[in-house]
Amino acid sequence: MKAVLILYFLYFLHWNEDTSTSIYHAFSSLCYFTPILGAAIADSWLGKFKTIIYLSLVYVLGHVIKSLGALPILGGQVVHTVLSLVGLSLIALGTGGIKPCVAAFGGDQFEEKHAEERTRYFSVFYLSINAGSLISTFITPMLRDVQCFGEDCYALAFGVPGLLMVIALVVFAMGSKIYNKPPPEGNIVAQVFKCIWFAISNRFKNRSGDIPKRQHWLDWAAEKYPKQLIMDVKALTRVLFLYIPLPMFWALLDQQGSRWTLQAIRMNGNLGFFVLQPDQMQVLNPLLVLIFIPLFDFVIYRLVSKCGINFSSLRKMAVGMILACLAFAVAAAVEIKINEMTPAQPGPQEVFLQVLNLADDEVKVTVVGNENDSLLIESIKSFQKTPQYSKLHLKTKSQNFHFHLKYHNLSLYTEHSVQEMNWYSLVIREDGNSISSMMVKDTESKTTNGMTTVRFVNTLHKGVNISLSKDTSLNVGEDYGVSAYRTVQRGEYPAVHCRTEDKNFSLNLGLLDFGAAYLFVITNNTNQGLQAWKTEDIPANKMSIAWQLPQYALVTAGEVMFSVTGLEFSYSQAPSSMKSVLQAAWLLTIAVGNIIVLVVAQFSGLVQWAEFILFSCLLLVICLIFSIMGYYYVPVKTEDMQGPGDKQISHIQGNMINLETKKTKL
């Protein structure tokens, strides 16, 4: 669902890029805050299995409401926004609630003697998630691309994942009888907080120098809480301390669906053999995960091991961070290159002007005024335009410009008003035996949003209705009427159906490419009949979307080394009673990472390439801190998590303990 979410905000709800990015990451953050709630429900009340079942129903309801909010016929902008936010909130509650339970519930199916198989399970688990992500990230943009109600069908793109979630829930429930379902172990989350609070307050009360010190600050909870719980909380806090630097990695990784998709909008998706939509580029991440997990597990890690290098979990995570840093450095380089190819924007007290000559002979145009009189020196031939926009300087925010037009033996003066920081087209047309001109304001957004846009000038004496697709049509007034810009899908348009009040005809618009803005002039040529003269206001995106491949490869390699390893590391370091709590804490680091992106997007004020560099440098610093912390961290072994009773039995009976007792104890 998230594959099309940023474009939904941008084009359906009409939010700007920063707001869209902020809401996208606020939603992502909420999805990873709610696992705390899910873990508490699972561990203290319903158990993991029932929590997954009940909160999945909330998940499905969220998708239904989200789909309704994406129906153009259902209310206006406010209704769409409210339904969208309610739907997203329910999805966040559902997905967050089950997140800490799903991985841990899978881990519960393994006994401790099957630690190696459990490690493999976590890889397969991550592999399965990315297999689903691979299929959906490719297909969901296709569903979005389907035209319904005259525009992209976001309702279908949100509805299908909801339907698939229903199927997944039914399949999961069918296996109920064969699962190992450990009962809830009490409200562990509350117990942990109470234990920590009591230890801190008890230590504060007994801060006198006469009272003997204790080995660990949590030992001050011994008066009220059992020794086993204190040992478990010690193990928990040691891992949680190690989690402090982790959010920065997620801040980078989760921008694939926001900032990197917005970058892809400004690139050309034509790969020759296939045309990729901007939101389909995210398919690279799950695809590369599917390739990299077996590659790393069976080739790279084994080669490193054979070289005698101890490539521990924490070292893998540190290398993953470095790879993510490199990915964002590459993304910044790509962004700089895109900016070099993008037309410049007019600044304060500036306008960009092009001249379009629709008269039957050449016209010479001069801007009257001291600063701008050197512009537009060349004559403009019939049905030609100036090669590029000219920059005009204004003395105030808005100003009247005087133009001198020379046509045959006629010399005309005309006046038009313009406002700063806008694009304009001066259209010169025949007016009987003379000529006249009109100033048309061009749209500003056509250079930044990456969409293909078209508009029409109708030179006929009758209005024209143009059908760009089954659901998209526009009307252009007679006698040099100018239509508004209309967004269309990229593709070939060999026969666009048009009609006047007494005639039907077709126009060949040719290829309409990514990011371009086209102007079509409908003319009636005596020899060739009705035609559309095509001119490009803004050129198509030149930089291929394939240039995003290196940054996706680097960040995905980083994800495999960081995320898969982190999942398994969290499970292995958690005391048996706190596995869901630690899983939720792991997911909480993702939530904090998304909040970092939200804050930077709203308040940094940096250009995009500088923002990428900022994130890269921040993660590099965090990686250094994490490496130092990891160097001093001593991993917990399974026997260290056993209670005193377990150790006593092991000591007395040694290796003679039978399998049944082992199974019961585990």
Side-chain angles (χ1 to χ4, degrees), residues 270-292:
N270 186 9
L271 301 176
F273 58 91
F274 190 78
V275 177
L276 266 181
Q277 297 298 324
D279 42 352
Q280 278 181 318
M281 197 60 188
Q282 298 169 64
V283 81
L284 272 177
N285 177 254
L287 177 64
L288 291 171
V289 165
L290 291 173
I291 296 166
F292 285 171

Side-chain angles (χ1 to χ4, degrees), residues 30 41 47 51 109 128 174 225 291 341 353 378 385 406 424 460 462 508 555 561 601 604 609 615 651:
L30 191 58
I41 293 170
T51 303
Q109 310 308 308
S128 304
M174 283 167 64
Y225 292 95
I291 296 166
M341 295 179 173
L353 176 74
E378 299 291 324
K385 68 178 184 105
K406 196 168 182 182
Y424 290 94
L460 309 179
K462 293 175 182 175
N508 179 11
V555 86
M561 298 190 77
S604 74
W609 66 266
F615 276 112
H651 177 70

Side-chain angles (χ1 to χ4, degrees), residues 101-406:
C101 303
V102 174
F105 186 68
D108 286 340
Q109 310 308 308
F110 296 88
E111 297 179 5
E112 204 59 53
K113 62 186 176 184
H114 298 135
E116 192 178 327
E117 287 83 355
R118 188 182 64 204
T119 302
R120 198 171 300 130
Y121 154 75
F122 279 111
S123 282
V124 174
F125 171 74
Y126 207 73
L127 209 68
S128 304
I129 289 173
N130 282 281
S133 184
L134 171 69
I135 297 162
S136 63
T137 310
F138 191 74
I139 292 175
T140 311
M142 288 182 173
L143 298 174
R144 187 260 307 161
D145 217 21
V146 173
Q147 295 293 295
C148 58
F149 307 106
E151 51 189 291
D152 285 352
C153 203
Y154 289 100
L156 184 66
F158 295 140
V160 171
L163 179 64
L164 293 174
M165 188 63 199
V166 173
I167 296 167
L169 184 56
V170 171
V171 173
F172 175 71
M174 283 167 64
S176 175
K177 290 181 181 177
I178 60 170
Y179 298 140
N180 171 32
K181 302 176 191 170
E185 298 180 351
N187 194 340
I188 281 292
V189 178
Q191 274 186 298
V192 167
F193 280 114
K194 284 176 184 175
C195 180
I196 291 171
W197 176 250
F198 183 78
I200 293 168
S201 58
N202 196 26
R203 175 72 186 90
F204 187 74
K205 285 175 193 172
N206 298 287
R207 60 187 184 277
S208 169
D210 301 332
I211 299 170
K213 291 184 178 178
R214 300 187 185 180
Q215 191 177 2
H216 193 280
W217 64 271
L218 274 167
D219 290 333
W220 288 95
E223 283 87 343
K224 188 174 178 180
Y225 292 95
K227 189 176 179 182
Q228 186 59 47
L229 177 67
I230 294 170
M231 285 174 64
D232 288 353
V233 176
K234 282 180 187 177
L236 182 72
T237 53
R238 287 172 74 251
V239 180
L240 290 182
F241 177 69
L242 210 55
Y243 278 9
I244 293 170
L246 304 191
M248 202 66 227
F249 176 84
W250 302 114
L252 275 71
L253 185 72
D254 279 3
Q255 288 188 58
Q256 293 173 81
S258 57
R259 291 300 199 196
W260 285 15
T261 300
L262 294 175
Q263 185 185 68
I265 284 172
R266 298 164 59 216
M267 302 175 83
N268 196 315
N270 186 9
L271 301 176
F273 58 91
F274 190 78
V275 177
L276 266 181
Q277 297 298 324
D279 42 352
Q280 278 181 318
M281 197 60 188
Q282 298 169 64
V283 81
L284 272 177
N285 177 254
L287 177 64
L288 291 171
V289 165
L290 291 173
I291 296 166
F292 285 171
I293 285 181
L295 177 68
F296 278 69
D297 275 355
F298 299 116
V299 181
I300 295 173
Y301 292 157
R302 291 187 181 183
L303 284 174
V304 170
S305 180
K306 287 193 175 186
C307 293
I309 299 169
N310 177 22
F311 206 24
S312 66
S313 296
L314 297 177
R315 285 179 182 173
K316 288 176 188 174
M317 291 168 75
V319 172
M321 287 181 174
I322 292 167
L323 290 172
C325 289
L326 293 173
F328 265 66
V330 172
V334 170
E335 187 70 23
I336 290 167
K337 196 68 183 170
I338 291 170
N339 289 344
E340 286 175 5
M341 295 179 173
T342 304
Q345 297 290 324
Q349 295 191 349
E350 288 178 354
V351 295
F352 283 176
L353 176 74
Q354 68 171 354
V355 180
L356 201 66
N357 180 14
L358 303 183
D360 61 353
D361 204 351
E362 68 176 37
V363 176
K364 185 170 176 59
V365 181
T366 311
V367 184
V368 181
N370 296 331
E371 288 184 34
N372 302 300
D373 56 2
S374 60
L375 298 172
L376 312 172
I377 296 170
E378 299 291 324
S379 295
I380 303 156
K381 292 191 167 68
S382 175
F383 277 85
Q384 293 290 324
K385 68 178 184 105
T386 46
Q388 59 198 29
Y389 280 89
S390 300
K391 186 191 292 183
L392 300 183
H393 297 279
L394 282 66
K395 293 186 174 68
T396 56
K397 288 186 177 181
S398 62
Q399 185 178 324
N400 288 343
F401 273 102
H402 297 270
F403 297 92
H404 177 223
L405 311 179
K406 196 168 182 182

Side-chain angles (χ1 to χ4, degrees), residues 1-63:
M1 186 276 292
K2 279 173 71 178
V4 298
L5 192 58
I6 194 84
L7 298 188
Y8 172 74
F9 291 155
L10 206 61
Y11 299 132
F12 190 86
L13 297 181
H14 305 294
W15 295 343
N16 64 36
E17 286 191 8
D18 284 342
T19 304
S20 300
T21 300
S22 297
I23 300 297
Y24 177 93
H25 286 285
F27 166 67
S28 296
S29 181
L30 191 58
C31 289
Y32 291 105
F33 267 121
T34 47
I36 293 289
L37 181 63
I41 293 170
D43 283 344
S44 62
W45 181 25
L46 294 175
K48 297 185 189 79
F49 178 76
K50 285 184 179 175
T51 303
I52 293 169
I53 293 289
Y54 295 152
L55 288 180
S56 291
L57 294 172
V58 175
Y59 202 156
V60 171
L61 178 64
H63 266 290

Side-chain angles (χ1 to χ4, degrees), residues 349-656:
Q349 295 191 349
E350 288 178 354
V351 295
F352 283 176
L353 176 74
Q354 68 171 354
V355 180
L356 201 66
N357 180 14
L358 303 183
D360 61 353
D361 204 351
E362 68 176 37
V363 176
K364 185 170 176 59
V365 181
T366 311
V367 184
V368 181
N370 296 331
E371 288 184 34
N372 302 300
D373 56 2
S374 60
L375 298 172
L376 312 172
I377 296 170
E378 299 291 324
S379 295
I380 303 156
K381 292 191 167 68
S382 175
F383 277 85
Q384 293 290 324
K385 68 178 184 105
T386 46
Q388 59 198 29
Y389 280 89
S390 300
K391 186 191 292 183
L392 300 183
H393 297 279
L394 282 66
K395 293 186 174 68
T396 56
K397 288 186 177 181
S398 62
Q399 185 178 324
N400 288 343
F401 273 102
H402 297 270
F403 297 92
H404 177 223
L405 311 179
K406 196 168 182 182
Y407 170 72
H408 293 166
N409 296 322
L410 293 171
S411 186
L412 302 169
Y413 287 90
T414 183
E415 182 182 348
H416 296 286
S417 177
V418 295
Q419 287 188 317
E420 67 174 356
M421 299 173 72
N422 282 310
W423 305 67
Y424 290 94
S425 293
L426 180 68
V427 181
I428 297 165
R429 60 193 183 96
E430 288 182 40
D431 193 0
N433 294 325
S434 183
I435 56 171
S436 62
S437 65
M438 58 182 181
M439 186 70 83
V440 179
K441 185 180 176 184
D442 299 347
T443 180
E444 319 77 39
S445 62
K446 65 178 185 267
T447 58
T448 56
N449 69 8
M451 299 291 279
T452 305
T453 53
V454 294
R455 66 172 174 172
F456 294 83
V457 174
N458 176 21
T459 66
L460 309 179
H461 299 302
K462 293 175 182 175
V464 179
N465 177 270
I466 303 165
S467 300
L468 291 165
S469 68
K470 190 171 70 173
D471 299 312
T472 308
S473 65
L474 54 87
N475 293 307
V476 194
E478 73 273 10
D479 295 324
Y480 295 92
V482 182
S483 75
Y485 275 96
R486 185 58 61 95
T487 301
V488 295
Q489 291 178 307
R490 184 257 183 211
E492 292 278 354
Y493 289 79
V496 172
H497 180 72
C498 307
R499 71 174 188 274
T500 60
E501 60 187 33
D502 58 358
K503 188 175 184 181
N504 289 335
F505 59 97
S506 292
L507 294 174
N508 179 11
L509 305 186
L511 173 67
L512 305 184
D513 212 351
F514 286 108
Y518 297 97
L519 173 67
F520 292 94
V521 181
I522 302 170
T523 60
N524 191 0
N525 188 303
T526 312
N527 300 324
Q528 297 169 318
L530 291 164
Q531 282 186 316
W533 175 60
K534 180 180 181 180
T535 176
E536 215 175 55
D537 284 352
I538 296 295
N541 299 340
K542 292 186 177 70
M543 194 160 184
S544 172
I545 205 166
W547 282 103
Q548 280 197 325
L549 181 59
Q551 68 201 53
Y552 271 98
L554 284 166
V555 86
T556 307
E559 181 187 0
V560 168
M561 298 190 77
F562 184 94
S563 192
V564 178
T565 310
L567 268 174
E568 203 276 326
F569 176 78
S570 293
Y571 201 90
S572 68
Q573 299 298 294
S576 58
S577 61
M578 299 195 184
K579 295 197 185 293
S580 280
V581 179
L582 202 54
Q583 288 289 90
W586 169 260
L587 297 170
L588 202 61
T589 63
I590 305 176
V592 177
N594 279 278
I595 287 176
I596 293 169
V597 184
L598 190 158
V599 171
V600 172
Q602 281 297 315
F603 303 111
S604 74
L606 295 171
V607 292
Q608 194 54 64
W609 66 266
E611 191 180 287
F612 286 153
I613 293 291
L614 173 68
F615 276 112
S616 184
C617 293
L618 284 174
L619 185 58
L620 200 59
V621 173
I622 292 293
C623 178
L624 185 63
I625 295 168
F626 178 75
S627 300
I628 295 166
M629 291 166 67
Y631 180 78
Y632 291 104
Y633 179 82
V634 181
V636 178
K637 294 176 183 172
T638 308
E639 54 267 25
D640 296 336
M641 294 187 204
Q642 291 179 321
D646 299 325
K647 290 186 178 178
Q648 193 178 2
I649 291 170
S650 299
H651 177 70
I652 295 167
Q653 296 181 335
N655 292 332
M656 298 299 291

